[in-house]
DNA sequence: TCTGAAATATAGGCCCT
DNA sequence: AGGGCCTATATTTCAGA
């Protein structure tokens, strides 16, 4: 995980852009775009991965299609000092937490949470509040995305493992 | 881009999981895991894309490696009614905004912003506040990620066009 | 859904600058 | 160090059935 800058030139930039647009683009095709052979592109991609510029390749999924229709940000306030280490442990206990970070401001941490519906979200929230560290939470529910294709709109969701139901078999309230 | 779920079974679930873990996994390898031929896997992936479950494949990039070292969430308060349509226009004017959504609570919208450094972030913030609609903003800076590999930690950033330590113009990915 | 063959892509080896 | 060319191995893709 060296974050050491080796050289990062124009060509690397273009290659990364191409792979962000479509991670399955062939090296030959990228090469044709940037003016390199497939081999050269592959070598650069390998290097970009080794140096940690590219950390992986992933499918972007529309959470709603998998039955994840509810999304919220949760500000977390902790008892006394909240060492990030212990917060990280807590966060790992709840698969519905798709992102978590320490932040400036009154709260100690900000969580991004995905749930199937409001009922499920309430359950997650109660679970989180049960954690010994947590003093209080403030939730902000996401209503609609203004940038539909932004990664946070589509990419961040629990793995389908955690999806209790199928896209074609979503539980109804009541 | 029909958002209607056709059938979505166990096999699809596994395929999606595999592609989320590594979008460049070969269909043959996925097939070996789930007990299908490469051809069958490809057909299912094609269908998952057609039905909009999978919206694309992308490289995940460590923003810091490209010179994006500052990240914040910005709550936006608007003058009077804030039609999402107009908010969306405003948001599109600022490539550093990597996600934007309307939310419950006091604020009208929540923005996710990436900048090269605090100076750059301040500049972005001033630009945003200049927009006719915006009445006030409250910023929460991200200090550290508790889930290092969550998509929001690594995937969401402006395109590498703007990378490096250069203060050149910025464009939106895609 | 599988099989099988043809078209593509990849991962190295090797040599050049 | 980085790039191109070549080749063996995999993979994708398109026919069948």
């Amino acid at each position: 995980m060296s974050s050491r800058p080796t050289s990062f030139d124009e060509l690397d930039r273009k290659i990364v852009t191409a792979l962000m647009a479509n991670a399955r683009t062939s090296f030959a095709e990228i090469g044709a775009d940037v003016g390199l052979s497939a081999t050269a592109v592959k070598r650069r991609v390998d290097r970009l991965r080794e140096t940690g510029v590219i950390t992986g390749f992933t499918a972007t999924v529309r959470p709603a299609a998998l039955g994840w229709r509810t999304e919220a940000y949760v500000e977390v306030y902790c008892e006394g000092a909240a060492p990030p280490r212990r917060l990280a442990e807590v966060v790992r206990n709840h698969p519905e937490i798709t992102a978590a970070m320490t932040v400036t401001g009154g709260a100690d941490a900000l969580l991004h949470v995905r749930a199937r519906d409001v009922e499920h979200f309430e359950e997650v929230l109660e679970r989180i509040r049960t954690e010994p560290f947590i003093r209080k939470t403030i939730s902000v529910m996401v209503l609609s995305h203004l940038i539909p294709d932004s990664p946070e709109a589509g990419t961040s969701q629990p793995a389908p493992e955690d999806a209790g139901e199928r896209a074609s078999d979503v539980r109804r309230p009541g």
Side-chain angles (χ1 to χ4, degrees), chain A:
Chain A
M1 202 96 47
S2 97
S3 61
R4 256 306 62 212
T6 50
S7 56
F8 184 84
D9 63 15
E10 189 79 3
L11 258 23
D12 288 321
R13 249 187 353 88
K14 287 183 181 168
I15 290 170
V16 169
T17 304
L19 287 172
M20 280 171 54
N22 178 8
R24 289 183 78 97
T25 311
S26 74
F27 298 147
E29 192 177 329
I30 296 171
D33 282 1
V34 307
L36 282 177
S37 70
T39 314
V41 173
K42 182 204 183 299
R43 284 201 283 245
R44 278 172 180 259
V45 171
D46 287 346
R47 190 170 52 74
L48 288 167
R49 299 193 65 171
E50 274 165 22
T51 56
V53 175
I54 294 174
T55 59
F57 302 100
T58 182
T60 58
V61 170
R62 201 160 43 81
L66 296 177
W68 300 90
R69 303 208 151 73
T70 302
E71 185 185 358
Y73 284 90
V74 179
E75 294 176 50
V76 170
Y77 296 75
C78 296
E79 310 271 15
R85 262 296 211 295
R86 300 225 32 195
L87 264 172
E89 283 172 40
V90 167
V91 155
R92 268 192 291 273
N93 293 336
H94 308 275
E96 295 90 348
I97 300 176
T98 59
M101 53 220 113
T102 55
V103 290
T104 64
D108 294 296
L110 183 63
L111 313 179
H112 179 252
V113 173
R114 264 187 206 282
R116 282 187 296 279
D117 48 39
V118 177
E119 268 181 50
H120 181 197
F121 177 68
E122 182 172 26
E123 183 240 304
V124 174
L125 204 54
E126 283 175 18
R127 237 193 291 133
I128 291 172
R129 299 171 96 140
T130 297
E131 294 281 359
F133 254 85
I134 312 299
R135 199 181 77 230
K136 86 169 179 179
T137 62
I138 296 181
S139 299
V140 173
M141 308 263 301
V142 174
L143 297 173
S144 72
H145 286 269
L146 300 170
I147 305 180
D149 292 335
S150 73
E152 276 152 297
T155 294
S156 317
Q157 71 284 317
E161 266 80 50
D162 309 317
E165 8 233 316
R166 311 283 164 275
S168 55
D169 177 26
V170 178
R171 204 170 114 211
R172 278 185 217 312

